[in-house]
Amino acid sequence: MDEGESSTNNPSRPWESYNTVFTNAKAGMEGVDKEKVQRIVYEMSKGSKYFQNEERKEALMKQKIEHMRDRCAKLSSSDLSNYQKVVDRRILELEATRDLSRIWLHVDMDAFYAAVETLSNPSLKGKPMAVGGLYMISTANYEARKFGVRAAMPGFIARKLCPDLIFVPVDFPKYTHYSDLTRKVFRNYDPNFIAGSLDEAYLDITEVCRERGLSGGEIAEELRSSVHSETGGLTCSAGVAANRLLAKVCSDINKPNGQFVLQNDRSTVMTFISSLPIRKIGGIGKVTEHILKDALGIKTCEDMVLKGSLLYALFTQSSADFFLSVGLGLGRTDTPEVRSRKSISSERTFAATRDERLLYSKLAEIAEMLSDDMKKEGLMARTLTLKLKTATFEIRNRAVSLQRYTCSSEDILKHATKLLKAELPVSIRLIGFRMSQFNEEIRHSDPSQESITKFIVQKDSSRQNLDDNDSFDLDASKNCLSNDERLSLSFGSHETSYAQVKDVVEYEEQSVTLEQECKKEEKRPQVSEGDALLRKHKECKSDTSISVFPQMAPLLWVDGYKCNLCGIELPPSFVEERQEHSDFHLAQRLQNEESGPSSSTTPTSKRRILGKEKANSKPKKQKPNQKDGSKHIPIHTFFTKSNQNSNDETQKK
């Protein structure tokens, strides 16, 4: 029996089985008394909405584990033998892609926000300090981490862990300024470096090493010294390896203010990766870790190779390939093509409130910040998505397509206010905006240009009350950079995200949904993004919203890349593009709902009757020489006008 199971069975110490993001170790927390942290977090959280949400997530995770165990138990020895042949073949194919010719460097600033504040106020040096407040901490310095304080932790829990903790308010303009200084240094070594966030980046230093005759370790040392000088005292840690996946792991080994170099040699890489815990791999979160560990007994990266037959038996090839690649120490070595960003967002967390005046003031504040960011980058967009997190940690999204491209805070606020009003009254603890559909990318992702037939049908459906089909959109999650791993499900205009439903496997730019990747026992066309979960939640949801876009099927990625609504093809690695594409369909339907005069009042039963009457009615004849007006009109309106004209002429005769 493993440690997790034994602790769960001790009713006198319930906190031992209470594992949240707050109890996960970060750099600088190696000597922390984990049991003490678990107990305090448990006692401070018990009875809260967060606690209830964590319990729901824990229960669903256990169900996933049990389901995986049941499926595993049904596999015969011949099944496993056949899958082992698949594994052996895939290992040869993946090994053929191994590239040891590149040198990648991952640089990660040390406790970035806290370090910037200490640089600005030297009196904070050596004292436990956190950036944030009583409701949420953005980051904590290494002195505070010794007490178990960490990012994403509520401040009141952090104060309980460390009574002398000093809080410093967040100052994003200041952090952006220092981030720009670090990026100025990065460009000297790789003009096309990949920024992971404000405080981390991937650099391909192959050419620099070759031109200057220096090793990767020497370049890393020089870069870290340059960052320290350019910023006036900030430190960073670095990892050097043959690919980005390994470089990121290496940068965490000697934090803070250190570096680790993994030689570009296959045997060295395999030795390094063999004993590495799977949680050290970027993108493998708590749920993924528990499923692999508790259901399949996979604890290290080497186990992924040794138990590859189970992975290929229980997951689809894309997910199993990811796990097998990790076990072989393989990662991306190419420099991604420079692509313009597909969306820009801003969000803020605060104490849960129902105060509408406060909520609208938050809207204005975030709209101003987002507008400033867009102006700095010269961006104008026309699709606005409002994200809300309620007091019960439910995620809701609403989207709208604007009539013109804009970066104006007034325009953003005007439409965001309408979207928020549709959700009130509700207690909210987070508000976020995302703008997408930038003016330079229309030709790539605007599905409204697919065909004139689709245009007519969509315009026609927006003016009629038809059958109340429960259509919904799948909103592919962006944030591979987010700590929360969510499955976003949209029912009509109301989108709900259940963090407990899924765990996302993020591999570089690729996001793989575990529920999607579990192979279905019955044969059916493969669709991505957890369609089984969508059906499950569709059956469970209450009939609170009625769609006036009746013939629209669920947004699913058929064969993993093709939108079933408009036919546009986007591979799974295009996470932001899929998010933006889903936003477009969501906004389109919401506009159609709002354009219908009785869309919010027509009873469900009446809609069904209307739908049947339309289906049973005979088509009306069109007059041949009817002249078109100056504007496009729906087909059904055209037919009606033609018929009326014919009747008028008959009466005159």
Side-chain angles (χ1 to χ4, degrees):
M1 182 178 295
D2 62 34
E3 182 183 348
E5 291 176 340
S6 61
S7 62
T8 305
N9 295 329
N10 191 344
S12 64
R13 305 166 71 86
W15 58 82
E16 291 185 349
S17 61
Y18 186 62
N19 294 289
T20 72
V21 65
F22 310 145
T23 60
N24 295 332
K26 287 179 66 71
M29 298 177 67
E30 290 78 10
V32 173
D33 185 346
K34 185 176 180 180
E35 183 180 349
K36 177 184 176 182
V37 174
Q38 283 181 305
R39 178 172 55 81
I40 291 177
V41 171
Y42 177 83
E43 292 173 350
M44 297 291 289
S45 304
K46 190 174 182 180
S48 67
K49 296 294 185 182
Y50 174 82
F51 186 88
Q52 295 170 9
N53 190 52
E54 288 296 305
E55 285 187 320
R56 289 194 296 268
K57 289 162 61 178
E58 186 75 17
L60 280 170
M61 183 177 70
K62 289 180 179 178
Q63 290 179 12
K64 288 182 179 182
I65 292 172
E66 288 303 317
H67 176 67
M68 188 68 73
R69 284 174 175 169
D70 291 341
R71 295 182 61 201
C72 185
K74 294 177 181 178
L75 293 172
S76 65
S77 57
S78 61
D79 291 333
L80 293 176
S81 177
N82 290 332
Y83 281 114
Q84 186 58 49
K85 294 177 182 178
V86 175
V87 173
D88 295 339
R89 185 180 70 251
R90 288 300 295 156
I91 288 177
L92 293 176
E93 293 170 349
L94 291 172
E95 278 289 354
T97 67
R98 187 184 296 275
D99 183 2
L100 297 173
S101 65
R102 312 302 298 178
I103 304 175
W104 279 92
L105 183 150
H106 179 259
V107 57
D108 191 4
M109 302 302 295
D110 299 322
F112 183 54
Y113 294 176
V116 169
E117 295 297 346
T118 303
L119 193 63
S120 302
N121 182 5
S123 66
L124 295 172
K125 189 173 183 179
K127 300 176 182 178
M129 179 267 287
V131 176
L134 287 175
Y135 297 107
M136 186 60 63
I137 290 175
S138 295
T139 192
N141 65 4
Y142 287 92
E143 287 76 14
R145 294 184 189 186
K146 296 175 183 177
F147 294 87
V149 178
R150 56 156 294 158
M153 176 180 283
F156 64 88
I157 294 180
R159 179 63 62 79
K160 183 72 174 179
L161 292 169
C162 179
D164 297 327
L165 185 66
I166 300 172
F167 289 111
V168 177
V170 176
D171 188 347
F172 281 104
K174 185 191 298 183
Y175 311 145
T176 302
H177 167 71
Y178 280 95
S179 177
D180 291 340
L181 294 179
T182 64
R183 294 179 179 186
K184 180 181 177 182
V185 175
F186 300 160
R187 289 189 183 93
N188 294 332
Y189 297 89
D190 180 8
N192 299 317
F193 73 91
I194 305 168
S197 61
L198 282 178
D199 63 343
E200 68 170 325
Y202 297 88
L203 291 80
D204 184 351
I205 58 174
T206 308
E207 298 304 323
V208 174
C209 290
R210 182 180 297 116
E211 291 172 1
R212 298 177 56 185
L214 298 177
S215 67
E218 291 171 326
I219 292 294
E221 189 74 40
E222 181 182 298
L223 179 143
R224 290 172 49 237
S225 177
S226 298
V227 168
H228 187 273
S229 300
E230 184 70 27
T231 60
L234 295 182
T235 64
C236 61
S237 299
V240 180
N243 58 60
R244 297 200 291 271
L245 180 142
L246 293 174
K248 183 174 177 62
V249 174
C250 292
S251 67
D252 197 51
I253 292 177
N254 287 323
K255 279 181 113 7
N257 196 23
Q259 65 184 56
F260 182 87
V261 179
L262 181 64
Q263 298 300 323
N264 287 21
D265 175 76
R266 185 184 182 281
S267 62
T268 304
V269 169
M270 295 303 294
T271 301
F272 174 81
I273 203 76
S274 62
S275 59
L276 193 70
I278 56 176
R279 189 61 182 272
K280 291 289 186 180
I281 301 299
I284 296 186
K286 182 179 71 172
V287 176
T288 311
E289 178 191 29
H290 278 286
I291 288 178
L292 294 175
K293 178 181 175 182
D294 299 340
L296 306 180
I298 296 175
K299 300 178 182 179
T300 66
C301 294
E302 183 181 38
D303 292 337
M304 292 182 173
V305 178
L306 298 177
K307 299 190 177 184
S309 58
L310 287 177
L311 295 174
Y312 278 87
L314 299 172
F315 298 90
T316 54
Q317 183 171 327
S318 58
S319 184
D321 280 350
F322 161 69
F323 293 132
L324 193 59
S325 296
V326 168
L328 295 172
L330 299 174
R332 300 290 295 273
T333 60
D334 59 311
T335 300
E337 294 181 7
V338 178
R339 292 186 295 165
S340 58
R341 67 188 305 165
K342 298 299 180 180
S343 65
I344 185 170
S345 60
S346 182
E347 64 182 40
R348 289 294 177 268
T349 302
F350 43 86
T353 179
R354 285 180 172 270
D355 187 340
E356 294 187 10
R357 180 178 299 179
L358 177 59
L359 293 175
Y360 284 122
S361 69
K362 290 291 183 183
L363 281 187
E365 176 186 337
I366 301 171
E368 190 67 39
M369 290 189 296
L370 182 58
S371 174
D372 289 343
D373 291 342
M374 295 180 70
K375 289 175 182 177
K376 287 178 183 177
E377 298 195 28
L379 299 173
M380 297 183 72
R382 70 178 185 88
T383 298
L384 168 67
T385 303
L386 172 68
K387 172 186 174 182
L388 303 174
K389 182 185 287 186
T390 69
T392 58
F393 292 84
E394 174 191 11
I395 302 296
R396 300 181 182 183
N397 286 324
R398 279 184 168 267
V400 63
S401 285
L402 315 184
Q403 295 299 317
R404 60 186 178 87
Y405 295 98
T406 184
C407 62
S408 163
S409 59
E410 291 80 9
D411 288 342
I412 295 173
L413 180 60
K414 179 179 70 174
H415 292 283
T417 300
K418 293 179 181 179
L419 296 178
L420 176 62
K421 187 176 181 180
E423 293 291 337
L424 297 177
V426 64
S427 182
I428 297 173
R429 67 187 314 272
L430 177 147
I431 295 177
F433 296 159
R434 181 173 65 252
M435 292 293 289
S436 56
Q437 288 282 333
F438 297 132
N439 51 358
E440 72 269 18
E441 65 185 58
I442 296 302
R443 62 189 180 89
H444 296 295
S445 57
D446 188 353
S448 65
Q449 298 183 7
E450 286 297 312
S451 67
I452 189 64
T453 304
K454 186 177 291 294
F455 171 80
I456 293 174
V457 171
Q458 290 174 349
K459 290 296 182 182
D460 179 49
S461 64
S462 69
R463 292 168 170 80
Q464 298 184 66
N465 294 323
L466 300 176
D467 185 19
D468 64 325
N469 184 29
D470 285 325
S471 60
F472 54 87
D473 276 346
L474 176 68
D475 191 359
S477 177
K478 136 189 172 250
N479 234 315
C480 299
L481 300 176
S482 172
N483 291 324
D484 293 331
E485 298 167 330
R486 303 180 178 90
L487 173 64
S488 296
L489 308 176
S490 171
F491 304 106
S493 63
H494 183 185
E495 182 171 272
T496 306
S497 173
Y498 297 88
Q500 68 271 25
V501 171
K502 106 176 188 343
D503 182 82
V504 177
V505 178
E506 296 170 355
Y507 178 46
E508 298 292 336
E509 301 162 353
Q510 186 173 7
S511 173
V512 182
T513 305
L514 283 179
E515 290 291 344
Q516 162 208 346
E517 301 302 344
C518 292
K519 290 183 176 178
K520 307 300 181 291
E521 295 181 3
E522 67 276 10
K523 277 191 173 182
R524 56 190 174 84
Q526 180 186 353
V527 292
S528 61
E529 314 299 348
D531 57 327
L533 293 175
L534 286 171
R535 288 200 301 271
K536 177 180 177 182
H537 283 277
K538 180 183 176 185
E539 293 169 0
C540 297
K541 80 179 185 73
S542 57
D543 189 13
T544 56
S545 62
I546 302 172
S547 172
V548 292
F549 203 17
Q551 303 303 328
M552 187 174 181
L555 193 161
L556 298 172
W557 297 100
V558 180
D559 296 328
Y561 68 91
K562 186 175 183 179
C563 174
N564 66 322
L565 297 183
C566 63
I568 194 170
E569 297 181 0
L570 292 173
S573 60
F574 283 54
V575 179
E576 290 187 355
E577 288 87 342
R578 287 191 173 200
Q579 176 72 67
E580 171 214 356
H581 191 73
S582 177
D583 286 347
F584 179 88
H585 283 302
L586 177 60
Q588 190 177 51
R589 178 160 66 258
L590 291 175
Q591 281 188 311
N592 286 331
E593 288 180 351
E594 292 173 0
S595 66
S598 59
S599 61
S600 60
T601 58
T602 305
T604 303
S605 59
K606 184 176 179 180
R607 290 172 184 270
R608 291 196 179 104
I609 293 172
L610 289 171
K612 291 179 180 178
E613 288 177 351
K614 181 178 182 298
N616 295 329
S617 62
K618 296 181 179 180
K620 298 178 181 180
K621 295 182 179 179
Q622 176 185 352
K623 188 175 180 179
N625 297 324
Q626 179 69 30
K627 295 182 179 180
D628 292 338
S630 59
K631 297 182 179 179
H632 292 289
I633 60 174
I635 292 297
H636 78 282
T637 306
F638 179 82
F639 287 161
T640 302
K641 288 184 177 180
S642 299
N643 190 51
Q644 289 175 348
N645 292 338
S646 299
N647 291 338
D648 291 342
E649 291 178 4
T650 302
Q651 290 176 359
K652 288 179 182 180
K653 291 180 180 180

